[in-house]
Amino acid sequence: MRIGEQVAEVIKLHNDITWRRANERAVNMLETVGIPGDRFNEYPHQFSGGMGQRVVIAIALACNPELLIADEATSALDVTIQAQVLEMIAKLKKEFNTSMIIISHSLGVVAEQCDDLGVMYAGKIVELGSKEAIFDHPTHPYTLGLFGAVPHLYDDTERLNPIAGMPPDPSNLPPGCHFNPRCPLATEQCRSEKIAAREIEPGHFCRCINVSRPER
């Protein structure tokens, strides 16, 4: 299926317009994401990974959504192309006045794109707050483990500090706090009781009984 048809199909399905008008809007959307309109009739295999990602973004934005969900939007792209795609997403987000939820394993992507951050483990948000609060004052043991596993350019360390153990089986989660088998701070309460999220400072929530208010 040609890429122009894929964009036009979305527009036609969600708007009461002719195919001709849908095609015209599809060309405009392709040009908006940096793809020349004369490539409308080309096929996906004729595009690089980064250009293909732009087509997907054009499809996602074609009907002016209020919310854009970007699930690993830059996976499998090299660093240079990743930066270009992220820059384009940020520009289009403002241009279309669209809110965005980014799902990512990359702390670098999160740091560049997000205002607020939720750290998830085994299907639950274990820490939630502004980007500044969590990057400057991470508190949950899993969040601390994530930051500890990231290499730093100027740190003189020989080995990274990975989180011990393996992620749990989603169909057989451990009782209590799901992170307790891997947590260095786990207590008997962590292993037996569900841990509620609590506000450790204004707007900063953490699902752990072993953390205190961050020091400023």
Side-chain angles (χ1 to χ4, degrees):
M1 190 172 178
R2 302 174 194 270
I3 60 128
E5 295 174 41
Q6 295 187 47
V7 182
E9 181 182 54
V10 173
I11 297 169
K12 183 71 171 68
L13 282 172
H14 293 279
N15 296 274
D16 185 20
I17 59 176
T18 64
W19 274 109
R20 179 177 179 179
R21 180 62 183 137
N23 287 339
E24 290 173 353
R25 285 179 55 179
V27 169
N28 290 336
M29 278 306 306
L30 289 173
E31 291 177 343
T32 298
V33 299
I35 297 175
D38 58 12
R39 301 194 69 178
F40 182 95
N41 288 315
E42 294 185 13
Y43 292 95
H45 73 269
Q46 295 175 274
F47 287 76
S48 66
M51 294 295 276
Q53 207 81 317
R54 289 170 182 262
V55 175
V56 174
I57 293 168
I59 293 172
L61 293 172
C63 295
N64 299 318
E66 294 182 5
L67 175 66
L68 179 66
I69 301 176
D71 188 353
E72 297 291 357
T74 56
S75 62
L77 300 178
D78 65 48
V79 176
T80 303
I81 303 301
Q82 183 183 96
Q84 292 175 4
V85 170
L86 289 173
E87 183 180 354
M88 183 190 65
I89 289 176
K91 173 177 171 290
L92 294 174
K93 183 177 67 173
K94 293 180 180 179
E95 185 177 325
F96 285 82
N97 195 29
T98 298
S99 297
M100 181 165 62
I101 295 175
I102 292 181
I103 303 166
S104 179
H105 289 86
S106 170
L107 292 173
V109 169
V110 170
E112 184 177 340
Q113 294 291 322
C114 298
D115 300 313
D116 300 295
L117 174 61
V119 180
M120 294 192 72
Y121 184 81
K124 286 187 179 294
I125 292 179
V126 295
E127 189 162 0
L128 177 69
S130 69
K131 175 177 62 180
E132 291 76 17
I134 293 181
F135 270 77
D136 293 342
H137 305 283
T139 54
H140 193 279
Y142 177 61
T143 309
L144 291 167
L146 290 179
F147 282 100
V150 175
H152 296 277
L153 185 62
Y154 299 108
D155 287 354
D156 186 19
T157 55
E158 294 185 1
R159 296 181 63 87
L160 296 179
N161 185 27
I163 300 171
M166 296 291 290
D169 179 355
S171 65
N172 186 28
L173 294 171
C177 171
H178 298 331
F179 187 60
N180 81 76
R182 308 174 69 188
C183 181
L185 303 178
T187 65
E188 192 55 42
Q189 183 180 356
C190 302
R191 299 183 183 96
S192 59
E193 298 179 13
K194 291 184 177 181
I195 308 300
R198 60 192 181 94
E199 192 171 23
I200 56 176
E201 60 178 332
H204 187 177
F205 297 84
C206 184
R207 195 183 293 272
C208 182
I209 61 173
N210 296 310
V211 297
S212 56
R213 184 182 178 90
E215 295 183 3
R216 295 288 183 177

